[in-house]
Amino acid sequence: MNNTETMILTGEGYSLTITTDAEIQKAKLLEFSRAVQFVRDNAESADAAYHMRSLAQMRIAVDKSRKEIKEPVLRIGKLIEQTAKNFLAEIEDEEARIRRLIGDHANEVARIAAVKAEEERKAFEAARVAREAAAAAQDAADASGKIADVIAAKKAEAARQDTLAAKLDASSDLAATKIADGVRFAWDFDVIDFASVLRAKPQLVHMEIKRSEVLAWFKEMEKTDLDVVDIVAVAKLYGIAAFKKPVVSTR
């Protein structure tokens, strides 16, 4: 392909600014809130909570505005993604089909190479045995000088030559069996037994506690009229240190 654009975003772009009124309101809120340096009694806590709620109100207002502004942009983003996906669907399917064909061929070549390697191994072993037999027969012929031993030595040497030729042929066949250019074999895996992996190689496993589910579990126990001490004790049995912490409302 040439460098021509395949997707073009039509329509006007967006520019984003913060209003002057919002900037002024933010500066005032920060000026007032920075006066809160201590919370030493309930009165100061109430005053601090008032300023915190003021800050939260602006945060909520900005967040609402952010969502309203972002919503059409998200729609455009989804449209871009879906348009590209629809356009590329047949391309990706065909790419995957050809990749499978190449992979199937590579697997078949690898299978043949394994067979040839085994044949080469057997040929090398046969050649070794024939070489040792020929050497032993020659030693016997040299030692005895008998015609029968000489003939046996010649037969053993002929057998050695045959196995040597077979070994060379097997090696040539293996050398000629090659994977196509651009294809390589990389390790991959499927998990057969997760628990076995966890026990044998825990460093290969990533696990995390589901925070929302744990908190929901605490709330379920609380509904059964268990007190704080009992809930903490139950959680500890499962390796979890449960505790209550103050939650400050911004409403």
Side-chain angles (χ1 to χ4, degrees):
M1 288 184 61
N2 56 27
N3 293 326
T4 302
E5 297 282 357
T6 55
M7 294 180 65
I8 301 175
L9 179 64
T10 58
E12 296 182 0
Y14 293 92
S15 61
L16 187 64
T17 58
I18 301 294
T19 65
T20 303
D21 288 344
E23 293 284 7
I24 293 173
Q25 185 179 359
K26 172 186 172 181
K28 288 181 178 179
L29 287 173
L30 292 176
E31 180 183 356
F32 293 145
S33 67
R34 284 168 182 156
V36 179
Q37 297 296 321
F38 305 99
V39 176
R40 294 165 293 195
D41 53 36
N42 286 348
E44 289 183 346
S45 178
D47 181 61
Y50 168 78
H51 290 293
M52 185 184 67
R53 285 194 296 271
S54 298
L55 294 167
Q57 287 171 0
M58 184 165 196
R59 172 176 56 77
I60 292 170
V62 172
D63 194 53
K64 180 181 178 182
S65 175
R66 174 186 64 80
K67 291 178 180 178
E68 291 176 351
I69 294 172
K70 193 169 70 171
E71 198 276 333
V73 178
L74 291 176
R75 285 204 307 270
I76 293 175
K78 290 178 181 178
L79 177 61
I80 293 171
E81 294 294 331
Q82 191 61 48
T83 301
K85 182 178 180 180
N86 292 342
F87 179 80
L88 291 175
E90 291 178 298
I91 294 291
E92 292 174 346
D93 287 346
E94 191 66 2
E95 184 182 3
R97 184 187 67 81
I98 295 176
R99 182 180 289 109
R100 283 193 299 271
L101 292 176
I102 294 173
D104 290 345
H105 171 260
N107 285 329
E108 177 62 14
V109 172
R111 186 192 66 80
I112 293 172
V115 171
K116 296 296 183 183
E118 179 61 15
E119 291 175 353
E120 182 189 45
R121 186 193 67 77
K122 291 179 179 179
F124 266 79
E125 179 61 19
R128 182 188 66 79
V129 172
R131 182 179 68 252
E132 292 176 354
Q138 186 62 50
D139 290 342
D142 292 340
S144 68
K146 295 179 180 179
I147 294 178
D149 290 338
V150 172
I151 293 174
K154 290 184 178 297
K155 288 182 178 180
E157 175 60 20
R160 186 186 75 83
Q161 293 294 335
D162 289 342
T163 57
L164 177 60
K167 182 187 74 171
L168 294 175
D169 288 342
S171 296
S172 297
D173 287 346
L174 179 60
T177 306
K178 296 181 179 179
I179 303 296
D181 291 340
V183 179
R184 63 184 180 87
F185 284 88
W187 285 106
D188 201 353
F189 67 93
D190 290 316
V191 177
I192 300 172
D193 186 343
F194 185 90
S196 296
V197 178
L198 179 60
R199 285 193 301 270
K201 289 287 186 180
Q203 69 271 25
L204 302 181
V205 178
H206 171 71
M207 300 181 69
E208 62 181 6
I209 298 296
K210 298 179 179 179
R211 177 177 173 79
S212 59
E213 282 81 352
V214 173
L215 296 177
W217 176 44
F218 292 165
K219 291 178 181 178
E220 287 298 321
M221 287 194 288
E222 203 168 35
K223 290 179 182 179
T224 64
D225 294 330
L226 287 176
D227 60 23
V228 172
V229 175
D230 289 335
I231 293 175
V232 170
V234 172
K236 189 174 182 181
L237 291 174
Y238 291 91
I240 296 176
F243 56 88
K244 282 199 167 185
K245 65 179 183 180
V247 178
V248 183
S249 174
T250 57
R251 295 181 180 179

